[in-house]
Amino acid sequence: MGVPAQAAATKATADIPAAEPVSTPARPKWLLGGMLRLAETQPRRLLRIAYKLLDPERVRRVSRNPAQAFDWQTRLAMVSALSSLFDPAQNKSLGTDAAKLREHARTLLNRSMNEDTSLLVRDGAVESVRRILRMDPREAKLWKVPLETAFLDTRNHIEGEGLFIRETILTALREGSLSLSKKVRRAAERDANPQVKSLLRNWDTSAYDEL
């Protein structure tokens, strides 16, 4: 995967106990409220569930199973809840392990942004990054490579026209005051989506040119 937020993934879970069983609702059920409560009161439990729920192999398996057609909603709720771990108001509940727990959250969001089979979940992970950057602008540099990797993902454009996730990614990069790599700039210039072209104009200043 080769991006900073995933560097710790292989050593990741020594401090996060084994994952709990995850069930998928048989019909749509919005779970964000419950997950936000977990983030506030039991952040380690939230991460245990997230590692199981967002596991790429599991995601591929359930995406092929019509009986689990609504699983994407649960994953979307989870990526939204993970961003709340970066709220400064959470420092007390996270305790001395705050940095370590947030690194786990970065790994999981990065994974969803770049590996989930659902466009809505991938876009939801980018929206979570936007919320994180609003809460803590110091996070910006950690997200540049994952965001650009997602922008270049071939699943996020069709026949040269970027899907809405590309607009969300460019918005996140701009809000983080991040420059564009030459590769991303060229891809955006070739994009047939007029909204992508419009967002690209935000970098039409030497301050955002990357050597």
Side-chain angles (χ1 to χ4, degrees):
M1 294 183 277
V3 290
Q6 292 171 322
T10 54
K11 38 178 171 174
T13 57
D15 53 305
I16 301 294
E20 301 181 4
V22 173
S23 59
T24 301
R27 60 182 184 275
K29 183 179 180 181
W30 192 244
L31 301 173
L32 180 56
M35 290 180 180
L36 288 172
R37 286 191 292 275
L38 271 183
E40 184 176 350
T41 61
Q42 301 180 65
R44 290 163 186 79
R45 185 181 176 203
L46 180 78
L47 288 167
R48 289 199 302 269
I49 296 170
Y51 268 108
K52 177 70 174 178
L53 181 69
L54 304 176
D55 176 73
E57 171 123 7
R58 177 190 175 276
V59 170
R60 286 190 291 271
R61 185 175 67 252
V62 301
S63 69
R64 297 190 294 265
N65 185 351
Q68 294 177 297
F70 302 116
D71 190 80
W72 69 268
Q73 293 188 337
T74 310
R75 302 197 309 273
L76 179 58
M78 178 58 78
V79 297
S80 297
L82 287 171
S83 67
S84 69
L85 296 179
F86 294 82
D87 187 338
Q90 287 280 75
N91 288 341
K92 185 174 180 180
S93 64
L94 297 178
T96 57
D97 288 336
K100 192 178 296 184
L101 297 178
R102 284 169 178 155
E103 181 59 32
H104 284 296
R106 287 188 202 98
T107 296
L108 289 161
L109 287 171
N110 190 351
R111 178 182 294 173
S112 293
M113 188 193 313
N114 284 291
E115 297 187 38
D116 202 282
T117 57
S118 166
L119 173 63
L120 290 172
V121 175
R122 297 198 303 275
D123 186 69
V126 180
E127 289 287 4
S128 285
V129 172
R130 292 183 63 200
R131 287 193 291 275
I132 291 168
L133 296 183
R134 287 195 293 271
M135 289 186 282
D136 187 358
R138 296 171 300 178
E139 285 275 322
K141 290 184 179 179
L142 297 174
W143 291 103
K144 176 178 166 63
V145 172
L147 287 167
E148 290 202 331
T149 300
F151 187 88
L152 296 169
D153 189 330
T154 56
R155 296 173 300 173
N156 293 334
H157 61 87
I158 297 176
E159 296 181 352
E161 182 169 351
L163 302 174
F164 58 87
I165 187 173
R166 278 193 158 188
E167 300 167 31
T168 313
I169 292 167
L170 288 179
T171 301
L173 288 164
R174 176 60 180 180
E175 290 172 347
S177 299
L178 294 166
S179 60
L180 298 181
S181 68
K182 290 181 179 179
K183 194 170 184 179
V184 166
R185 178 179 281 276
R186 284 195 298 268
E189 289 171 344
R190 293 193 299 265
D191 198 306
N193 181 341
Q195 291 300 317
V196 170
K197 293 279 183 61
S198 177
L199 287 164
L200 184 60
R201 288 198 289 271
N202 288 322
W203 282 269
D204 285 346
T205 167
S206 59
Y208 284 95
D209 285 341
E210 185 170 37
L211 298 177

